[in-house]
Amino acid sequence: MTVVVVTDSSAGLPADLIGELGIDIVPLHVLVGDTTIREGVDDLEIDYTADTVSTSAPSPGELRAAYTAALARSSGDGVVAVHLSRQLSATWESGRQAVRDMGAEESVRLVDSLGAGLATGLPALAAARSAAAGATLDAVHRAAATAAAKSHTFILVNRTEQLRRGGRLSTAAGFFASELVSKPILQLVQGRLELREKVRTRSKAVAKLVSAAAAAAGSGEAVVGVQHLDAADAAETVIAQLRERLPQVREVLTAEFGPALGVHLGVGAVGVLVLPGGWG
């Protein structure tokens, strides 16, 4: 068999790639009042502006079950589990507890993606492609960790209410105490969500988002991921401008933010993930 890759539902990977590469997905939880929704499993319409909506990580028991099944499917070759940043979610810590409970520290390797959304999905994809090529557990783990370490993520947020309520922004005090911010651009720095700059209009913010991503990609090969929440037109604009500015980019992945991230980013959010150097 081969090494099996596990990730969480925040990864946002297209279903065809998940199926093709045999990636296992563990759902995050969205809490709507007294109802718990498993992202990607349960259907329920969500009002992202409601203050009764929140999120939670999978339990150690849920992750233990996922890792155990993946390890069995690998026929002993091992598991690499790539999860969203431990600075943003308790998922990685739940995973670590699950591995301890299993006594499987050598056969189940955890990777902190230092991000969320496609910033988790692309390292998981790098690992899965390495596994599909027959790489060892150490090499698959290294592929995920390398992709996570070199990625850059920028996010344009349309409204700030969810950021204020969710408390995930590390510079929140200064951000919300400052002058009115119409369209903030955020970035992930070592797994923390930080304010990059403040822009007055959405059109200018989209231009800034594209410029930040283009600068991060550099002049060499790169992989790009674009995500959005109910902002398909803006995402298409970003993709078109990036293709024009970065002709060396051969692969662009697109996805919508799932509910677990949408609760914190809000409708209209657009994110860009850049992996300079490509998969190598």
Side-chain angles (χ1 to χ4, degrees):
M1 194 56 185
T2 61
V3 174
V4 173
V5 174
V6 177
T7 190
D8 54 72
S9 59
S10 83
L13 289 172
D16 58 340
L17 286 177
I18 292 171
E20 175 189 340
L21 294 168
I23 301 171
D24 288 351
I25 307 294
V26 181
L28 301 180
H29 299 163
V30 179
L31 313 178
V32 182
D34 296 329
T35 302
T36 299
I37 304 168
R38 294 168 298 170
E39 184 175 47
V41 178
D42 303 318
D43 292 326
L44 186 66
E45 189 170 337
I46 298 173
D47 178 3
Y48 290 105
T49 64
D51 58 10
T52 57
V53 180
S54 60
T55 59
S56 67
S59 68
E62 290 173 291
L63 289 167
R64 183 170 63 249
Y67 298 163
T68 299
L71 189 58
R73 190 157 66 85
S74 79
S75 299
D77 283 352
V79 172
V80 172
V82 185
H83 292 301
L84 73 167
S85 168
R86 72 184 84 176
Q87 304 284 345
L88 302 175
S89 168
T91 302
W92 188 91
E93 188 58 45
S94 287
R96 184 168 67 167
Q97 184 60 55
V99 172
R100 287 175 175 171
D101 292 345
M102 294 169 64
E105 288 85 349
E106 292 302 315
S107 54
V108 180
R109 309 285 181 83
L110 292 184
V111 176
D112 181 345
S113 71
L114 304 176
L118 285 175
T120 298
L122 265 64
L125 186 55
R129 286 179 169 172
S130 177
T136 64
L137 180 60
D138 285 343
V140 174
H141 176 263
R142 186 163 55 250
T146 298
K150 70 180 184 179
S151 67
H152 301 268
T153 302
F154 310 97
I155 305 169
L156 164 60
V157 177
N158 197 47
R159 301 176 65 87
T160 62
E161 288 88 345
Q162 281 88 343
L163 286 173
R164 183 193 301 271
R165 188 171 65 237
R168 292 324 197 263
L169 191 63
S170 63
T171 51
F175 173 70
F176 293 118
S178 67
E179 63 194 54
L180 179 65
V181 178
S182 295
K183 309 298 174 190
I185 296 177
L186 313 177
Q187 61 184 355
L188 282 164
V189 179
Q190 291 299 305
R192 300 183 305 276
L193 192 61
E194 297 186 353
L195 176 66
R196 178 180 176 86
E197 60 183 307
K198 301 171 285 187
V199 185
R200 289 292 185 182
T201 67
R202 188 165 175 84
S203 60
K204 289 182 178 179
V206 168
K208 292 280 190 180
L209 186 68
V210 170
S211 292
S219 59
E221 183 182 351
V223 175
V224 172
V226 177
Q227 278 184 285
H228 69 92
L229 184 60
D230 197 21
D233 288 347
E236 289 175 7
T237 296
V238 168
I239 292 169
Q241 292 184 12
L242 283 173
R243 285 192 181 280
E244 183 177 344
R245 294 184 60 168
L246 301 172
Q248 75 274 21
V249 171
R250 296 289 182 264
E251 188 169 3
V252 178
L253 280 78
T254 61
E256 287 200 44
F257 286 117
L261 295 182
V263 167
H264 300 286
L265 298 175
V267 172
V270 181
V272 182
L273 180 285
V274 179
L275 198 62
W279 299 111

